[in-house]
Amino acid sequence: MTVRVGIMGYGTIGKRIADAIMKMDDMELIGVIKQTPDYESEVAISKGIRLYTYEDRINKFEKAGIRVAGTVNDLIKNIDVIIDATPDGVGAENRVKIYEPVGLRAIFQGGEEADVAEVSFNALANYDMAIGKRFIRVVSCNTTALSRLISAFLVHGYKIRRVRAYLVRRGADPREFKKGPINDVVFNPATVPSHHGPDVQTVLPTIDIVTMAVAVPTTMMHLHMVNIEFDGQVSKGEVAKVLEETPRILLFNSSSRKFESLAQIIEWARDMGRLRGDVMENAIIEDSITVFQNELFLMQGVHQESIVVPENIDAVRAMFKLASKWDSIRKTDLGLNLMT
Ligand code: NAD
């Protein structure tokens, strides 16, 4: 079966998912819904992507000389699922106004509340919970990275007592020229836990996790400082082995490979010829891996613009029962050229 996919919202996340869908042989990108006839519309057309828009906006596209293939209604008649990558909260409105009335399945993003979908999803953590579901929410970038890291140990049979994580969040994405901070460390909301811990629990309900977060003036990546307490002693060697063996986790070494900052990790991705310089894997700082008896400490970089992309692909496969968890993860990673 080839699943026919549409995308609602062609921004940071939507455009990356569109490119990823086009690389999968069991999915077809039928088109994307755009509101504005801008440079991103032109880029999409140059890639052979069909554009759809709202009926009352077709004129705008025609005036700008950008050809659309039809209206939102034309697209949703011809697809099996829509991936909604609109700004926080818009997806929930779309579910009620557009998708449910025509019985269309949908995958939402982490900016929506958890109750927008039947399940909050991370492939490594709970793929099987999403099998056959009509509405799935792929959790946010920070939640994806934490869920993947914790699940790496759970799938290897380790028992976790508690997780404490401190998040240094990027202030804005590179294209968000109106957002900040440009010279500050923003702690509001300072309440503990930050929303990330409870969000991880939407995927891994039994994990004891507390998070704290601040935002800083960078667009590169988030940085997490994570402390995991296991039920029993672990060694640094076995931790490194678990992380090396887990898909979508990469180790970056400071002493031997001279990685000293998140900017260098992004530069590595650019040098490797990765599309847009994306790092869809958790970027573990290998030298930070430290173990005191049953406690692990480490740092990880999280490329907010791209880390959720492979999860959206797996969510489609789970929804349509196209593959088992590990087959889907392997197929996605192969299609996206990830190094795992
Ligand atoms: P974005 O602002 O870059 O893109 C959203 C796109 O949707 C824009 O092109 C906008 O014009 C379009 N849009 C808005 N309303 C629309 C509507 N009614 N119909 C059609 N298109 C509409 O946002 P983003 O960063 O891609 O975020 C999308 C979702 O992904 C959010 O839920 C966000 O929380 C989540 N997310 C974002 C990141 C990140 O760091 N950027 C990471 C993980 C998850």
Side-chain angles (χ1 to χ4, degrees):
M1 175 191 186
T2 302
V3 175
R4 298 167 305 159
V5 184
I7 293 179
M8 169 73 93
Y10 191 72
T12 302
I13 301 296
K15 66 173 83 162
R16 286 172 167 80
I17 297 172
D19 288 329
I21 297 278
M22 290 196 286
K23 290 188 177 142
M24 301 298 140
D25 63 11
D26 50 357
M27 297 171 202
E28 187 189 355
L29 181 68
I30 303 297
V32 306
I33 295 166
K34 276 281 300 165
Q35 284 185 307
T36 319
D38 52 10
Y39 72 93
E40 287 175 318
S41 300
E42 277 180 337
V43 174
I45 285 178
S46 76
K47 291 181 176 204
I49 296 174
R50 284 177 292 267
L51 297 185
Y52 293 80
T53 193
Y54 298 92
E55 202 145 7
D56 59 0
R57 288 183 179 242
I58 286 189
N59 267 349
K60 277 193 177 178
F61 280 81
E62 277 172 359
K63 266 193 204 146
I66 294 178
R67 212 171 56 80
V68 291
T71 63
V72 172
N73 285 339
D74 294 330
L75 177 67
I76 63 178
K77 271 192 276 183
N78 286 312
I79 55 177
D80 302 307
V81 60
I82 192 140
I83 300 184
D84 188 302
T86 55
D88 304 3
V90 179
E93 278 176 30
N94 288 343
R95 173 177 166 164
V96 176
K97 287 188 191 151
I98 305 177
Y99 313 146
E100 277 183 329
V102 294
L104 182 61
R105 292 168 180 261
I107 293 171
F108 299 97
Q109 307 306 309
E112 303 300 323
E113 298 295 328
D115 64 6
V116 76
E118 294 155 273
V119 60
S120 287
F121 179 80
N122 171 262
L124 198 58
N126 68 346
Y127 184 96
D128 291 349
M129 300 279 294
I131 290 177
K133 293 284 191 289
R134 300 189 64 79
F135 297 106
I136 298 175
R137 167 182 173 257
V138 171
V139 289
S140 74
C141 43
N142 285 304
T143 307
T144 294
L146 288 167
S147 301
R148 246 188 225 164
L149 178 66
I150 294 165
S151 299
F153 295 103
L154 297 179
V155 300
H156 279 84
Y158 288 81
K159 292 212 164 27
I160 290 176
R161 247 185 234 165
R162 53 174 224 173
V163 179
R164 301 291 180 255
Y166 308 96
L167 281 54
V168 182
R169 296 167 50 230
R170 60 89 180 99
D173 289 343
R175 71 201 212 96
E176 292 176 317
F177 63 98
K178 289 183 184 167
K179 277 196 184 170
I182 57 169
N183 181 24
D184 208 345
V185 177
V186 180
F187 47 75
N188 188 40
T191 42
V192 181
S194 65
H195 74 270
H196 310 92
D199 204 31
V200 169
Q201 288 165 331
T202 66
V203 180
L204 294 165
T206 59
I207 285 291
D208 173 349
I209 177 167
V210 178
T211 51
M212 295 174 78
V214 294
V216 299
T218 180
T219 62
M220 296 282 170
M221 295 174 109
H222 306 297
L223 183 83
H224 293 178
M225 288 170 264
V226 187
N227 167 220
I228 300 179
E229 196 179 315
F230 294 95
D231 220 359
Q233 215 156 330
V234 291
S235 73
K236 180 175 172 161
E238 59 183 299
V239 165
K241 191 161 178 291
V242 163
L243 298 175
E244 269 164 14
E245 283 174 358
T246 305
R248 301 180 191 165
I249 290 188
L250 288 180
L251 270 54
F252 290 84
N253 193 295
S254 311
S255 45
S256 69
R257 294 288 180 272
K258 309 295 174 210
F259 282 105
E260 293 178 32
S261 76
L262 297 179
Q264 289 180 321
I265 293 174
I266 295 294
E267 186 71 356
W268 166 85
R270 289 177 179 156
D271 289 347
M272 292 292 287
R274 287 179 166 218
L275 185 61
R276 302 186 178 93
D278 283 348
V279 184
M280 298 185 188
E281 302 93 337
N282 291 33
I284 306 281
I285 315 306
E286 191 172 2
D287 311 63
S288 71
I289 300 173
T290 302
V291 170
F292 299 129
Q293 296 181 345
N294 63 336
E295 268 193 276
L296 164 66
F297 296 82
L298 60 73
M299 290 190 244
Q300 62 175 357
V302 180
H303 189 227
Q304 75 283 351
E305 296 177 279
S306 67
I307 191 169
V308 299
V309 172
E311 311 303 322
N312 274 273
I313 301 295
D314 291 331
V316 174
R317 285 212 191 87
M319 181 177 270
F320 290 92
K321 305 180 185 175
L322 295 182
S324 65
K325 168 178 168 173
W326 292 106
D327 285 348
S328 180
I329 289 176
R330 257 190 299 275
K331 194 171 169 63
T332 303
D333 292 1
L334 205 66
L336 296 176
N337 255 329
L338 301 185
M339 296 172 59
T340 46

